[in-house]
Amino acid sequence: MRNVLTIVGRELRSYFVSPVAYVVLGVFVLLSGVFFQAILVQTLQMVQTIQAQSFGGTPQPIDVPGEISRQYFGTLGVILLFMLPMITMGLFAEERKRGTIELLLTAPVTDLQLVAGKFGAAVAFYAVLLGVTTAPISILFLYADPVLGPLATAYLGLLLYGASLLALGLFVSTLTDNQIVAGVMTFGLILWLWIVDVLGGAAAGTTRAVLTHLSILTPLGDFMNGVLAVSNLIFYMSLATLGLFLTYRSIDAWRWKG
Amino acid sequence: MIQVENLTKKFNGTPAVSDVSFSVEDGEVLGFLGPNGAGKTTTMRAITGFLPATSGRVTVGGFDVFASPIEARRRIGYLPEHPPLYPEMTVDGYLRFVARIKGVPSSDLRFELDRVMDTARIDDMGGRIISRLSRGYRQRVGLAQALVGDPPVLILDEPTVGLDPKQIHEVRELIRSWKGRHTVVLSTHILPEVEQTCHRVAIIARGRIVAVGTPAHLVERLERSARIVMDVAAPAGEAAAALGGVPGVADVRVLDASDGRARLEVEAAGVGADVEPELARAIVERGWGLFGMQSSTMSLEDIFLELTTDEPPGGEAGS
Ligand SMILES: Nc1ncnc2c1ncn2[C@@H]1O[C@H](COP(=O)(O)OP(=O)(O)OP(=O)(O)O)[C@@H](O)[C@H]1O
Ligand SMILES: [Mg+2]
């Protein structure tokens, strides 16, 4: 455990001395902020329109903060598709490029501890990104009374969704010693997992059902609607396990290839 | 302390190291001497467990590096060919990280860092960012990294590369001072380096160990290493006697003899004694047939020439 924490600690410190962390954080804060603002304005306009149309009768009750946060989280899911590859791209690729992998693989640290340390660091950094998003959400608490349940499940969903993509990104990072290549490949992989959803929307019948099931975003939608389904938990957790397992195997394979 | 048995390492089917066996005793300093691409780094990586062997076995302190890697690695300090440094870290931060992953207890951390930094002569470099260090200082940080935790076994891949003459001298002195305390395997291209620092030398070329011995013993062997294999049509005994009479020939052995044909191996006495024409004449003059003649391709002499090229001028005199 100490070994894992040591690796997590070194990695986090490295994130915050490299520009990557600040670029990712900066762009993320900016984009999510702009979208939140847009969603806020749009939703309020929509509410006014509906009220105006109800001609003095009792307007239909609308869960305004719920509507805003749902849209906001949905947007985050998409922004994160672009951000997550940057968190993992260097984790192993840079070790190989700098030759420090030779230190890590000859130190009294197991491969499992190494993978756990790298993954832990990526998830910790991701948690910082998610932490930033609580700022706009807390504004909702100032002016309205959002329902807590769906917020909690949304964050749980985002965490699992991110963790599973980070695990896949970690695997891709073991495949090359060029972090840009790793980043682009991860992005491609994630995009593919996402586009499956769009294809699913266009298809019909069984194809549609299958494709929708495969999509990385479908379970996230459930989480955001406040639905906590075991199958969704299992979906993300198995994806993460798959990514970590492949990472582990890939490290073993390098040793043999040299 | 270190046992290497029939180590073979292939990369995509091409052997980089073939059937290498040797052992290093407790407290002994073994030098690996060999030209570029000889397989020094590959052998060292197999010892540290970085690259698993294609076949064969390596044990360190009785632990198989493949079967019980963690136990074996606890006993090894390793300076790879390229020092494994994180450029964005400070020297202090880096060594602290190394100490932690090597399991140095937190309470001893500061003491241990001071000790290795002092040994590697980087005691005033703690706060410097590694990417801004000169090459020589990076090499020293790499060396300090290998010493963290005071491991009994040190594997040093070209430890003096990139150092200035004074530092080269200091590092050689340091390694010499470890005799009896650490078991050391170091690699180098430089013959004087092994003469000065090592108990024993293994000369490695094209993935094979071609000679092992004390430096003095090897230098002696190097001086009489020209080997010529000859195929002749002559009675083996008579041909051997005739060749043995050629000036400069130290020894003649009959490798094979049948139906009036013989294959003989001639060992010439000194480097630079061009005995081949004389050997040919000795056969032809007696009316025998000479079918073939081949100087052995992997003579120690060849290796020696490749090795003795790059001691920097005044390297040792500089201090
Ligand atoms: N990862 C690898 N993949 C393929 N071939 C390799 C790999 N590492 C080494 N080799 C090959 O193995 C052979 C031995 O290389 P090695 O690095 O062990 O030599 P060396 O004795 O350390 O040489 P030098 O003095 O140049 O450091 C070389 O032919 C090299 O090309
Ligand atoms: Mg080498």
Side-chain angles (χ1 to χ4, degrees):
Chain A
M1 194 59 204
R2 187 179 125 140
N3 285 339
V4 176
L5 291 179
T6 304
I7 293 168
V8 171
R10 201 210 69 75
E11 210 59 61
L12 283 180
R13 232 163 278 142
S14 275
Y15 270 135
F16 286 100
V17 294
S18 80
V20 175
Y22 295 102
V23 170
V24 170
L25 258 175
V27 170
F28 182 73
V29 167
L30 195 75
L31 281 180
S32 58
V34 167
F35 276 106
F36 183 74
Q37 157 85 17
I39 289 165
L40 205 62
V41 170
Q42 223 175 24
T43 313
L44 293 180
Q45 273 173 357
M46 189 186 75
V47 170
Q48 278 171 351
T49 320
I50 290 175
Q51 276 172 342
Q53 282 169 349
S54 57
F55 300 112
T58 18
Q60 269 205 315
I62 306 168
D63 174 14
V64 178
E67 192 56 41
I68 291 173
S69 56
R70 236 190 322 278
Q71 285 199 37
Y72 176 59
F73 285 134
T75 317
L76 284 185
V78 177
I79 297 176
L80 284 170
L81 290 177
F82 297 84
M83 295 291 152
L84 290 169
M86 287 190 235
I87 298 180
T88 51
M89 65 184 184
L91 284 176
F92 278 105
E94 279 291 288
E95 299 279 356
R96 279 174 75 175
K97 186 159 171 187
R98 294 179 299 213
T100 41
I101 193 67
E102 210 159 348
L103 169 68
L104 294 179
L105 293 187
T106 58
V109 173
T110 62
D111 290 0
L112 216 55
Q113 291 169 339
L114 179 59
V115 173
K118 292 285 186 183
F119 181 61
V123 171
F125 182 74
Y126 175 60
V128 174
L129 286 192
L130 285 189
V132 168
T133 65
T134 56
I137 293 295
S138 57
I139 291 177
L140 294 181
F141 278 92
L142 287 183
Y143 298 100
D145 205 7
V147 191
L148 275 176
L151 281 182
T153 54
Y155 272 108
L156 178 64
L158 279 172
L159 193 67
L160 290 172
Y161 160 83
S164 60
L165 292 181
L166 290 172
L168 293 176
L170 196 61
F171 164 60
V172 175
S173 180
T174 63
L175 300 177
T176 165
D177 58 7
N178 184 323
Q179 61 169 338
I180 304 299
V181 170
V184 173
M185 275 168 62
T186 309
F187 179 64
L189 177 69
I190 294 180
L191 208 59
W192 190 80
L193 290 175
W194 180 49
I195 278 179
V196 162
D197 191 42
V198 179
L199 295 178
T206 338
T207 329
R208 180 182 185 130
V210 170
L211 288 179
T212 313
H213 263 291
L214 280 176
S215 165
I216 185 90
L217 278 175
T218 313
L220 187 60
D222 287 348
F223 278 108
M224 285 167 184
N225 289 326
V227 180
L228 199 58
V230 177
S231 64
N232 289 336
L233 287 172
I234 291 177
F235 178 82
Y236 284 136
M237 284 199 221
S238 31
L239 206 56
T241 311
L242 175 71
L244 294 177
F245 175 74
L246 290 175
T247 309
Y248 178 73
R249 293 312 301 258
S250 178
I251 293 173
D252 201 44
W254 280 348
R255 286 199 136 110
W256 291 98
K257 272 191 315 209
Chain B
M1 195 65 169
I2 304 173
Q3 299 277 346
V4 177
E5 290 160 27
N6 307 104
L7 173 71
T8 297
K9 176 70 193 177
K10 293 182 180 169
F11 291 108
N12 303 320
T14 320
V17 172
S18 316
D19 200 25
V20 162
S21 299
F22 62 91
S23 64
V24 194
E25 301 303 316
D26 266 24
E28 189 182 26
V29 179
L30 176 78
F32 255 151
L33 191 59
N36 290 134
K40 302 182 294 295
T41 299
T42 306
T43 308
M44 296 180 130
R45 285 177 163 177
I47 296 174
T48 57
F50 179 64
L51 290 180
T54 308
S55 65
R57 210 167 98 95
V58 179
T59 62
V60 174
F63 293 97
D64 186 311
V65 297
F66 191 59
S68 1
I70 301 299
E71 283 304 319
R73 290 182 210 161
R74 270 192 224 291
R75 288 162 176 75
I76 301 176
Y78 176 38
L79 171 62
E81 193 162 40
H82 305 287
L85 308 175
Y86 293 99
E88 74 279 2
M89 295 179 95
T90 61
V91 172
D92 239 17
Y94 171 68
L95 291 175
R96 197 178 290 273
F97 168 69
V98 173
R100 287 222 178 87
I101 58 169
K102 288 195 179 181
V104 174
S106 303
S107 52
D108 302 350
L109 215 67
R110 190 65 252 173
F111 178 80
E112 185 62 10
L113 293 200
D114 288 342
R115 188 186 71 81
V116 298
M117 287 168 78
D118 188 51
T119 310
R121 304 280 157 110
I122 47 171
D123 22 5
D124 49 351
M125 292 286 165
R128 299 279 287 271
I129 307 279
I130 290 174
S131 63
R132 300 191 190 142
L133 293 179
S134 72
R135 176 171 150 90
Y137 271 98
R138 281 183 214 181
Q139 183 73 12
R140 295 193 215 182
V141 177
L143 186 65
Q145 164 275 132
L147 299 176
V148 167
D150 205 19
V153 173
L154 292 169
I155 309 289
L156 310 174
D157 200 347
E158 303 191 23
T160 57
V161 159
L163 300 180
D164 62 40
K166 184 159 175 296
Q167 264 289 313
I168 290 180
H169 180 74
E170 280 177 12
V171 168
R172 289 179 187 170
E173 282 299 316
L174 189 64
I175 294 170
R176 229 201 309 242
S177 76
W178 289 333
K179 284 184 177 175
R181 286 205 301 125
H182 289 280
T183 306
V184 182
V185 177
L186 65 87
S187 72
T188 177
H189 301 115
I190 308 168
L191 190 67
E193 185 154 298
V194 290
E195 288 185 296
Q196 287 162 23
T197 52
C198 302
H199 293 114
R200 271 196 313 147
V201 186
I203 294 189
I204 181 166
R206 291 174 214 176
R208 292 179 186 277
I209 291 198
V210 292
V212 189
T214 62
H217 172 79
L218 280 182
V219 168
E220 190 211 338
R221 268 194 68 186
L222 284 167
E223 277 164 5
R224 43 183 209 89
S225 62
R227 285 224 172 85
I228 300 124
V229 174
M230 304 179 72
D231 283 312
V232 297
E238 283 182 52
L243 292 173
V246 173
V249 170
D251 193 20
V252 182
R253 285 192 300 138
V254 179
L255 298 178
D256 198 2
S258 59
D259 326 328
R261 293 276 293 262
R263 166 170 279 214
L264 305 154
E265 189 189 55
V266 179
E267 199 167 281
V271 177
D274 280 337
V275 293
E276 283 90 335
E278 292 302 323
L279 293 173
R281 188 168 307 142
I283 297 295
V284 177
E285 262 178 3
R286 286 170 176 78
W288 295 325
L290 176 58
F291 286 90
M293 196 165 168
Q294 197 183 19
S295 301
S296 62
T297 48
M298 206 54 263
S299 76
L300 285 177
E301 185 191 343
D302 294 339
I303 304 159
F304 180 80
L305 286 176
E306 289 190 80
L307 291 176
T308 45
T309 45
D310 40 21
E311 172 78 32
E316 274 304 297
S319 53

PDB file of all heavy atoms in Angstrom, chain B residues 3 22 37 70 78 193 199 228 271 287 290-291 310 315:
ATOM      1  N   GLN B   3      24.372 -15.700  -9.547  1.00  0.00           N
ATOM      2  CA  GLN B   3      24.610 -16.875 -10.372  1.00  0.00           C
ATOM      3  C   GLN B   3      23.876 -16.682 -11.696  1.00  0.00           C
ATOM      4  O   GLN B   3      22.680 -16.448 -11.699  1.00  0.00           O
ATOM      5  CB  GLN B   3      24.010 -18.132  -9.714  1.00  0.00           C
ATOM      6  CG  GLN B   3      24.565 -18.478  -8.368  1.00  0.00           C
ATOM      7  CD  GLN B   3      25.859 -19.253  -8.478  1.00  0.00           C
ATOM      8  OE1 GLN B   3      26.188 -19.748  -9.551  1.00  0.00           O
ATOM      9  NE2 GLN B   3      26.610 -19.322  -7.392  1.00  0.00           N
ATOM     10  N   PHE B  22      28.063 -17.419 -15.575  1.00  0.00           N
ATOM     11  CA  PHE B  22      29.156 -16.979 -14.720  1.00  0.00           C
ATOM     12  C   PHE B  22      28.596 -16.775 -13.327  1.00  0.00           C
ATOM     13  O   PHE B  22      27.379 -16.812 -13.130  1.00  0.00           O
ATOM     14  CB  PHE B  22      29.811 -15.694 -15.239  1.00  0.00           C
ATOM     15  CG  PHE B  22      28.900 -14.503 -15.286  1.00  0.00           C
ATOM     16  CD1 PHE B  22      28.794 -13.643 -14.203  1.00  0.00           C
ATOM     17  CD2 PHE B  22      28.135 -14.238 -16.419  1.00  0.00           C
ATOM     18  CE1 PHE B  22      27.949 -12.544 -14.243  1.00  0.00           C
ATOM     19  CE2 PHE B  22      27.279 -13.144 -16.455  1.00  0.00           C
ATOM     20  CZ  PHE B  22      27.193 -12.297 -15.375  1.00  0.00           C
ATOM     21  N   GLY B  37      27.191  -3.318 -28.591  1.00  0.00           N
ATOM     22  CA  GLY B  37      26.296  -4.366 -29.061  1.00  0.00           C
ATOM     23  C   GLY B  37      26.692  -5.763 -28.640  1.00  0.00           C
ATOM     24  O   GLY B  37      26.147  -6.749 -29.121  1.00  0.00           O
ATOM     25  N   ILE B  70      10.645  -9.868  -6.195  1.00  0.00           N
ATOM     26  CA  ILE B  70      10.698  -8.800  -5.190  1.00  0.00           C
ATOM     27  C   ILE B  70      11.866  -9.030  -4.236  1.00  0.00           C
ATOM     28  O   ILE B  70      12.637  -8.112  -3.940  1.00  0.00           O
ATOM     29  CB  ILE B  70       9.353  -8.713  -4.431  1.00  0.00           C
ATOM     30  CG1 ILE B  70       8.205  -8.433  -5.407  1.00  0.00           C
ATOM     31  CG2 ILE B  70       9.413  -7.636  -3.362  1.00  0.00           C
ATOM     32  CD1 ILE B  70       8.321  -7.136  -6.170  1.00  0.00           C
ATOM     33  N   TYR B  78      20.622  -0.594  -9.026  1.00  0.00           N
ATOM     34  CA  TYR B  78      20.874  -0.702 -10.458  1.00  0.00           C
ATOM     35  C   TYR B  78      21.020   0.679 -11.080  1.00  0.00           C
ATOM     36  O   TYR B  78      20.135   1.524 -10.942  1.00  0.00           O
ATOM     37  CB  TYR B  78      19.701  -1.469 -11.088  1.00  0.00           C
ATOM     38  CG  TYR B  78      19.721  -1.597 -12.582  1.00  0.00           C
ATOM     39  CD1 TYR B  78      20.899  -1.793 -13.291  1.00  0.00           C
ATOM     40  CD2 TYR B  78      18.526  -1.558 -13.304  1.00  0.00           C
ATOM     41  CE1 TYR B  78      20.889  -1.924 -14.672  1.00  0.00           C
ATOM     42  CE2 TYR B  78      18.503  -1.696 -14.681  1.00  0.00           C
ATOM     43  CZ  TYR B  78      19.691  -1.879 -15.363  1.00  0.00           C
ATOM     44  OH  TYR B  78      19.672  -2.019 -16.724  1.00  0.00           O
ATOM     45  N   GLU B 193      39.941   0.706 -17.105  1.00  0.00           N
ATOM     46  CA  GLU B 193      38.946   0.812 -16.046  1.00  0.00           C
ATOM     47  C   GLU B 193      38.813  -0.508 -15.286  1.00  0.00           C
ATOM     48  O   GLU B 193      38.773  -0.520 -14.061  1.00  0.00           O
ATOM     49  CB  GLU B 193      37.604   1.218 -16.633  1.00  0.00           C
ATOM     50  CG  GLU B 193      36.546   1.465 -15.585  1.00  0.00           C
ATOM     51  CD  GLU B 193      35.495   2.442 -16.089  1.00  0.00           C
ATOM     52  OE1 GLU B 193      35.862   3.591 -16.382  1.00  0.00           O
ATOM     53  OE2 GLU B 193      34.336   2.050 -16.194  1.00  0.00           O
ATOM     54  N   HIS B 199      38.143  -7.270  -9.593  1.00  0.00           N
ATOM     55  CA  HIS B 199      38.839  -8.507  -9.255  1.00  0.00           C
ATOM     56  C   HIS B 199      38.941  -9.395 -10.478  1.00  0.00           C
ATOM     57  O   HIS B 199      39.941 -10.037 -10.723  1.00  0.00           O
ATOM     58  CB  HIS B 199      38.055  -9.304  -8.213  1.00  0.00           C
ATOM     59  CG  HIS B 199      37.980  -8.654  -6.880  1.00  0.00           C
ATOM     60  ND1 HIS B 199      36.804  -8.192  -6.349  1.00  0.00           N
ATOM     61  CD2 HIS B 199      38.940  -8.407  -5.972  1.00  0.00           C
ATOM     62  CE1 HIS B 199      37.042  -7.688  -5.155  1.00  0.00           C
ATOM     63  NE2 HIS B 199      38.325  -7.798  -4.904  1.00  0.00           N
ATOM     64  N   ILE B 228      45.049 -19.740 -35.743  1.00  0.00           N
ATOM     65  CA  ILE B 228      44.841 -20.007 -37.164  1.00  0.00           C
ATOM     66  C   ILE B 228      44.488 -21.483 -37.331  1.00  0.00           C
ATOM     67  O   ILE B 228      45.174 -22.350 -36.797  1.00  0.00           O
ATOM     68  CB  ILE B 228      46.107 -19.668 -37.979  1.00  0.00           C
ATOM     69  CG1 ILE B 228      46.446 -18.179 -37.806  1.00  0.00           C
ATOM     70  CG2 ILE B 228      45.910 -19.978 -39.466  1.00  0.00           C
ATOM     71  CD1 ILE B 228      47.808 -17.925 -37.298  1.00  0.00           C
ATOM     72  N   VAL B 271      50.897 -10.538 -30.453  1.00  0.00           N
ATOM     73  CA  VAL B 271      50.076  -9.691 -31.297  1.00  0.00           C
ATOM     74  C   VAL B 271      50.964  -9.076 -32.363  1.00  0.00           C
ATOM     75  O   VAL B 271      52.080  -8.648 -32.094  1.00  0.00           O
ATOM     76  CB  VAL B 271      49.425  -8.580 -30.453  1.00  0.00           C
ATOM     77  CG1 VAL B 271      48.629  -7.653 -31.343  1.00  0.00           C
ATOM     78  CG2 VAL B 271      48.557  -9.195 -29.384  1.00  0.00           C
ATOM     79  N   GLY B 287      55.854 -29.885 -50.047  1.00  0.00           N
ATOM     80  CA  GLY B 287      55.128 -30.584 -51.089  1.00  0.00           C
ATOM     81  C   GLY B 287      53.740 -31.064 -50.675  1.00  0.00           C
ATOM     82  O   GLY B 287      53.122 -31.853 -51.364  1.00  0.00           O
ATOM     83  N   LEU B 290      47.723 -27.455 -49.366  1.00  0.00           N
ATOM     84  CA  LEU B 290      47.083 -26.572 -48.379  1.00  0.00           C
ATOM     85  C   LEU B 290      45.663 -26.276 -48.871  1.00  0.00           C
ATOM     86  O   LEU B 290      45.483 -25.647 -49.911  1.00  0.00           O
ATOM     87  CB  LEU B 290      47.894 -25.277 -48.245  1.00  0.00           C
ATOM     88  CG  LEU B 290      47.315 -24.195 -47.326  1.00  0.00           C
ATOM     89  CD1 LEU B 290      47.106 -24.716 -45.919  1.00  0.00           C
ATOM     90  CD2 LEU B 290      48.215 -22.965 -47.309  1.00  0.00           C
ATOM     91  N   PHE B 291      44.689 -26.768 -48.164  1.00  0.00           N
ATOM     92  CA  PHE B 291      43.298 -26.627 -48.619  1.00  0.00           C
ATOM     93  C   PHE B 291      42.594 -25.409 -48.043  1.00  0.00           C
ATOM     94  O   PHE B 291      41.630 -24.917 -48.610  1.00  0.00           O
ATOM     95  CB  PHE B 291      42.493 -27.880 -48.266  1.00  0.00           C
ATOM     96  CG  PHE B 291      42.842 -29.034 -49.146  1.00  0.00           C
ATOM     97  CD1 PHE B 291      43.854 -29.907 -48.774  1.00  0.00           C
ATOM     98  CD2 PHE B 291      42.186 -29.224 -50.352  1.00  0.00           C
ATOM     99  CE1 PHE B 291      44.184 -30.958 -49.601  1.00  0.00           C
ATOM    100  CE2 PHE B 291      42.515 -30.281 -51.175  1.00  0.00           C
ATOM    101  CZ  PHE B 291      43.522 -31.154 -50.805  1.00  0.00           C
ATOM    102  N   ASP B 310      39.008   4.009 -26.291  1.00  0.00           N
ATOM    103  CA  ASP B 310      38.565   5.315 -25.819  1.00  0.00           C
ATOM    104  C   ASP B 310      38.831   5.710 -24.368  1.00  0.00           C
ATOM    105  O   ASP B 310      38.032   6.400 -23.766  1.00  0.00           O
ATOM    106  CB  ASP B 310      37.105   5.593 -26.177  1.00  0.00           C
ATOM    107  CG  ASP B 310      36.203   4.403 -26.015  1.00  0.00           C
ATOM    108  OD1 ASP B 310      36.544   3.482 -25.281  1.00  0.00           O
ATOM    109  OD2 ASP B 310      35.158   4.411 -26.672  1.00  0.00           O
ATOM    110  N   GLY B 315      43.214  10.622 -18.496  1.00  0.00           N
ATOM    111  CA  GLY B 315      42.092  10.298 -17.623  1.00  0.00           C
ATOM    112  C   GLY B 315      42.510  10.068 -16.183  1.00  0.00           C
ATOM    113  O   GLY B 315      41.921  10.631 -15.263  1.00  0.00           O
TER     114      GLY B 315
END
